[in-house]
Amino acid sequence: AQKITQTQPGMFVQEKEAVTLDCTYDTSDQSYGLFWYKQPSSGEMIFLIYQGSYDEQNATEGRYSLNFQKARKSANLVISASQLGDSAMYFCAMREDTGRRALTFGSGTRLQVQP
Amino acid sequence: ETGVTQTPRHLVMGMTNKKSLKCEQHLGHNAMYWYKQSAKKPLELMFVYNFKEQTENNSVPSRFSPECPNSSHLFLHLHTLQPEDSALYLCASSQLTGPGREALTDTQYFGPGTRLTVL
């Protein structure tokens, strides 16, 4: 079974509107970390936001926020006031409490912001 | 230079060639990683180095040979590759925080990648 599932291969959003990118995960650990990265066409993976499973509040970083629903094992990324520069691939990733440093990535969602 | 740099950005090689990818991090981090990103597949971890020591090898074929001379530099030596090895190779680094919950927050910062084509 996949550990990270991103069910939206592609999404469109109008400039200045908000968009939600879905991510569900599978783990039996009580403690884990969830990350979102942005990958523009240039290739670099840019860290956006982190949510710990033990955090009581949803993470926020500027226009990015996480809609974290632990019971449903979902960690959806919300981008508010979309900008043309937000067009990119977005990846959800998880680190489980195994002592390994590796991140497990989802297959990504391609977001296109339209003017 | 800031962040994580990778050279070359693009590489085309034949199956009999030997080449090396270079990664350098300017963040003072203690861990470095190689990932492979193939078309239509999720990002795959290849190797992890903590304080210059290899701590993870994700069953990578021996035609990929990593080298980490210090905490700031990481190389991936390539020889007798196959066309299916064509991919974007990403390097990352992290502070190596921990243990416990701190370890979970250890954020990885990526370089721009090397786009490799094997003919």
Side-chain angles (χ1 to χ4, degrees):
Chain A
Q2 287 188 336
K3 287 195 174 281
I4 298 286
T5 303
Q6 294 181 254
T7 58
Q8 306 153 314
M11 290 279 288
F12 288 90
V13 65
Q14 290 294 122
E15 196 177 4
K16 299 181 184 178
E17 292 187 350
V19 63
T20 298
L21 307 183
D22 295 342
C23 173
T24 58
Y25 57 90
D26 181 26
T27 181
S28 57
D29 287 351
Q30 292 301 306
S31 295
Y32 47 89
L34 297 158
F35 300 78
W36 276 92
Y37 284 85
K38 170 185 177 182
Q39 187 178 40
S41 56
S42 58
E44 182 178 355
M45 297 281 278
I46 302 167
F47 167 69
L48 297 178
I49 194 166
Y50 169 82
Q51 176 81 49
S53 61
Y54 40 82
D55 292 333
E56 294 185 355
Q57 292 189 323
N58 288 341
T60 61
E61 285 288 347
R63 293 187 300 111
Y64 305 107
S65 61
L66 259 171
N67 182 1
F68 180 49
Q69 299 186 45
K70 193 170 181 178
R72 298 180 62 181
K73 293 189 176 178
S74 72
N76 299 338
L77 177 70
V78 180
I79 305 175
S80 62
S82 297
Q83 303 172 356
L84 295 177
D86 293 335
S87 294
M89 284 289 291
Y90 288 81
F91 292 92
C92 179
M94 175 174 64
R95 175 181 289 117
E96 296 175 275
D97 194 13
T98 60
R100 293 181 67 226
R101 294 287 164 161
L103 292 174
T104 302
F105 284 81
S107 56
T109 295
R110 180 171 297 282
L111 176 67
Q112 295 188 55
V113 181
Q114 297 176 319
Chain B
E1 290 270 25
T2 58
V4 182
T5 58
Q6 290 186 243
T7 55
R9 294 293 310 278
H10 300 273
L11 178 62
V12 179
M13 59 186 291
M15 289 191 286
T16 58
N17 291 158
K18 290 184 179 181
K19 296 287 184 183
S20 295
L21 310 185
K22 178 183 175 182
C23 175
E24 184 173 359
Q25 60 95 1
H26 308 268
L27 300 169
H29 288 167
N30 299 309
M32 297 190 77
Y33 311 77
W34 278 118
Y35 285 88
K36 175 183 179 182
Q37 187 177 28
S38 305
K40 300 181 181 179
K41 290 178 73 175
L43 212 64
E44 299 172 87
L45 177 73
M46 299 176 73
F47 302 102
V48 180
Y49 279 81
N50 295 340
F51 294 101
K52 305 188 301 179
E53 300 298 320
Q54 187 181 120
T55 55
E56 293 188 46
N57 176 337
N58 197 24
S59 302
V60 180
S62 60
R63 56 185 184 270
F64 295 92
S65 175
E67 178 190 359
C68 189
N70 55 61
S71 293
S72 298
H73 294 85
L74 184 65
F75 296 89
L76 189 62
H77 304 299
L78 316 171
H79 61 98
T80 60
L81 293 193
Q82 305 298 313
E84 59 264 29
D85 296 323
S86 298
L88 180 67
Y89 289 85
L90 289 161
C91 172
S93 70
S94 72
Q95 182 61 44
L96 200 63
T97 55
R101 284 184 177 180
E102 275 195 47
L104 292 176
T105 69
D106 191 34
T107 300
Q108 294 177 16
Y109 294 89
F110 286 78
T114 294
R115 173 105 21 221
L116 173 67
T117 303
V118 182
L119 301 176

